């Protein structure tokens, strides 16, 4: 395939309910989509960078800049046979993994369309039904959180994850366990603690949590390994795992026993598959994380979650939890058993609502190959 044009878009999409983590509250998403045009085909990717560089160094503006100035030009021109070839074409640019992933994932999508294969099969997926959990942000009150948990359990979700931080942890876990002693429950600190909080974090052990996600610094393996040795509960790393080498280091050091795979965080499907594979070889289960994606990124997360070692419920949940109207059709739906089912349609398996995307777009830029280098 030869990519003829790459269009970047910024969409404004208000969230149905605000989402608050230890680093802040989001009420409206600025969603960045990339669209590839080639051989009469349109393929989409989503850049999951946040509005601010708080979860990671990237933000929508840095991704916009680096795709426009560096990454898109590198993909306009060469003949590309598959998504697997994209990392090498983008390697000269260091970091900017979420920006790279948006493009690489769109190439995989194009390849799936050309080969008339479902994207999930192209990625090596095996399961047709994926287990789902939800991630619940910090709320205005504990009662509001308990109401939300009750609602999500009624909807069938298999695992509840709550965001935590100092002051919104043990008291909250106590309230939840009082009411639901048996549910699969985990927490995510998004690096809200330091190793001097080890004694405090050890108290989490009594709540029988499935895992504690990224308690310490976003770039740390050493102190997580020290902490893991003192805990009964498994640590799961999210932010710290940027690539397969990080996964190998974390596993060997004993920094975690579970890995959250986010395709944007590791730079695209190729690297996500590598992380999945190395975790599998070491009997470390993985699950698919979320970044409050629109339907495009959500559909890609669904496809990735069909790989065999995605054995724990992920943070990939129904579109309607986030959006009044999603940009795909049908929207992502979760069954009463708390599962999402994939079909056999070629490509992403969900239609794109082009008119709605146009309506939500506040900025758009198309990049074509410069005439001078066209062959
Ligand atoms: O740490 O998993 C995280 C959202 C934004 C940034 C980081 C995280 C999250 C979530 C939400 O937990 C997952 C989702 O529902 O998309
Ligand atoms: Mg997380």
């Amino acid at each position: 395939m030869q990519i003829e044009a790459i269009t970047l878009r910024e969409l404004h999409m208000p969230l149905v309910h605000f989402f608050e983590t230890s680093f802040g509250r989001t009420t409206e998403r600025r969603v960045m989509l990339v669209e590839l045009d080639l051989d009469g085909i349109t393929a989409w990717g989503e850049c999951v960078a946040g509005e601010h560089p708080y979860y990671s160094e990237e933000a929508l503006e840095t991704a916009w800049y680096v795709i426009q100035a560096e990454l898109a030009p590198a993909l306009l021109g060469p003949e590309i046979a598959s998504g697997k070839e994209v990392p090498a074409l983008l390697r000269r640019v260091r970091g900017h993994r979420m920006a790279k992933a948006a493009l690489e994932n769109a190439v995989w999508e194009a390849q799936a369309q050309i080969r008339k294969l479902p994207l999930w099969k192209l990625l090596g997926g095996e399961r047709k039904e994926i287990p789902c959990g939800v991630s619940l942000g910090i709320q205005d009150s504990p009662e509001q959180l308990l109401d939300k948990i009750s609602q999500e359990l009624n909807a069938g979700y298999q695992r509840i994850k709550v965001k935590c931080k100092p002051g919104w942890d043990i008291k909250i876990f106590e309230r939840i366990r009082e009411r639901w002693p048996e549910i699969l429950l985990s927490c995510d600190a998004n690096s809200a603690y330091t190793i001097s909080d080890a004694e405090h974090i050890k108290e989490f052990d009594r709540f029988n949590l499935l895992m504690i996600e990224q308690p310490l610094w976003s770039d740390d393996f050493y102190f997580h390994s020290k902490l893991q040795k003192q805990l009964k509960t498994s640590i799961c790393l999210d932010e710290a795992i940027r690539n397969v080498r990080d996964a190998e280091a974390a596993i060997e050091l004993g920094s975690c026993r579970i890995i959250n795979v986010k395709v944007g965080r590791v730079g695209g499907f190729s690297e996500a598959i590598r992380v999945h594979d190395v975790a599998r070889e070491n009997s470390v289960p993985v699950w698919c994380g979320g970044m409050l994606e629109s339907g495009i990124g959500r559909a890609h997360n669904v496809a990735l979650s069909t790989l065999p070692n995605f054995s724990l419920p992920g943070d990939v949940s129904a579109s309607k939890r986030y959006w009044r109207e999603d940009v795909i059709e049908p929207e992502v739906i979760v069954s009463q058993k708390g599962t999402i089912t994939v079909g056999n349609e070629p490509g992403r398996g969900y239609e794109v609502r082009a008119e709605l995307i146009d309506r939500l777009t506040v900025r758009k830029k198309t990049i074509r190959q410069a005439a001078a280098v066209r062959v």
Side-chain angles (χ1 to χ4, degrees):
M1 65 186 99
Q2 194 162 21
I3 302 169
E4 290 148 26
I6 299 178
T7 301
L8 316 188
R9 289 168 183 268
E10 175 181 344
L11 280 61
H12 282 192
M13 296 178 70
L15 286 166
V16 168
H17 185 76
F18 68 80
F19 191 81
E20 185 172 323
T21 65
S22 58
F23 53 74
R25 183 178 283 198
T26 310
T27 53
E28 186 185 53
R29 290 285 348 265
R30 293 170 64 194
V31 172
M32 180 171 173
L33 298 180
V34 304
E35 183 187 344
L36 309 184
D37 288 305
L38 57 132
D39 310 329
I41 281 179
T42 304
W44 293 82
E46 177 163 346
C47 178
V48 300
E51 293 72 27
H52 302 277
Y54 299 164
Y55 166 83
S56 76
E57 295 86 343
E58 291 186 81
L60 181 135
E61 295 293 345
T62 70
W64 190 283
Y65 150 73
V66 84
I67 292 178
Q68 183 180 328
E70 301 281 350
L71 303 177
L75 294 187
L76 290 163
E79 174 62 33
I80 302 173
S82 80
K84 282 189 193 142
E85 294 178 4
V86 172
L89 294 167
L90 305 181
R91 188 157 293 148
R92 184 146 75 147
V93 173
R94 295 213 175 142
H96 296 281
R97 292 180 302 279
M98 292 175 178
K100 289 173 176 174
L103 293 170
E104 185 193 320
N105 297 351
V107 171
W108 281 87
E109 218 195 80
Q111 189 189 347
Q113 286 182 48
I114 292 166
R115 295 201 28 205
K116 299 196 167 34
L117 264 180
L119 176 61
W120 64 272
K121 282 199 181 159
L122 184 67
L123 295 172
E126 292 174 8
R127 50 180 95 228
K128 291 211 68 181
E129 211 178 14
I130 65 167
C132 306
V134 290
S135 173
L136 291 171
I138 294 163
Q139 307 295 323
D140 288 330
S141 67
E143 291 70 31
Q144 194 176 18
L145 178 63
L146 296 178
D147 282 350
K148 293 226 162 277
I149 294 174
S150 158
Q151 194 183 317
E152 304 297 4
L153 291 171
N154 285 334
Y157 286 100
Q158 299 183 14
R159 182 225 63 198
I160 301 290
K161 155 175 145 184
V162 294
K163 293 291 185 180
C164 66
K165 64 177 183 181
W168 185 274
D169 50 23
I170 289 173
K171 276 186 296 193
I172 298 298
F173 307 150
E174 271 169 355
R175 296 286 296 273
I176 299 171
R177 279 306 188 204
E178 252 168 47
R179 194 153 154 200
W180 296 285
E182 305 286 347
I183 57 166
L184 279 188
L185 178 67
S186 66
C187 70
D188 184 358
N190 290 109
S191 307
Y193 303 93
T194 72
I195 196 65
S196 59
D197 298 312
E199 287 306 313
H200 176 70
I201 299 170
K202 276 156 78 173
E203 292 185 53
F204 294 13
D205 272 342
R206 70 186 154 97
F207 299 104
N208 187 29
L209 302 176
L210 184 60
M211 68 190 89
I212 302 173
E213 191 177 336
Q214 197 71 43
L216 309 179
W217 302 274
S218 63
D219 57 359
D220 170 77
F221 298 118
Y222 177 67
F223 290 102
H224 278 100
S225 106
K226 288 187 123 177
L227 181 63
Q228 180 67 93
K229 286 184 184 63
Q230 303 175 58
L231 292 176
K232 283 209 289 279
T233 312
S234 294
I235 291 178
C236 168
L237 290 181
D238 172 357
E239 283 89 329
I241 307 293
R242 301 159 304 170
N243 52 47
V244 69
R245 288 177 296 99
D246 283 345
E248 293 186 60
I251 293 168
E252 194 168 324
L253 287 166
S255 311
C256 64
R257 299 193 203 120
I258 299 173
I259 292 177
N260 166 335
V261 179
K262 286 183 184 165
V263 63
R265 193 194 67 225
V266 301
F269 281 135
S270 306
E271 196 70 12
I273 294 167
R274 281 193 203 102
V275 172
H276 164 275
D277 291 351
V278 103
R280 191 184 198 197
E281 285 153 22
N282 287 281
S283 306
V284 169
V286 304
W287 54 278
C288 186
M291 292 290 289
L292 313 175
E293 287 90 348
S294 83
I296 307 280
R298 198 164 296 278
H300 289 175
N301 287 343
V302 169
L304 183 65
S305 303
T306 64
L307 270 69
N309 195 33
F310 281 85
S311 51
L312 293 169
D315 275 349
V316 184
S317 59
S319 298
K320 68 171 182 204
R321 296 188 59 249
Y322 307 83
W323 319 114
R324 249 173 271 289
E325 283 188 297
D326 201 350
V327 298
I328 53 167
E329 214 168 40
E331 54 175 44
V332 173
I333 290 165
V334 172
S335 74
Q336 265 299 315
K337 293 186 294 177
T339 59
I340 297 171
T341 307
V342 292
N344 287 316
E345 310 79 27
R348 92 180 73 72
Y350 300 85
E351 296 297 326
V352 160
R353 297 176 64 183
E355 268 174 42
L356 178 61
I357 289 180
D358 274 338
R359 201 158 19 99
L360 298 171
T361 298
V362 297
R363 174 160 58 142
K364 183 174 164 183
K365 168 94 190 172
T366 298
I367 304 142
R368 290 174 203 283
Q369 202 180 344
V373 295
R374 202 185 286 270
V375 280

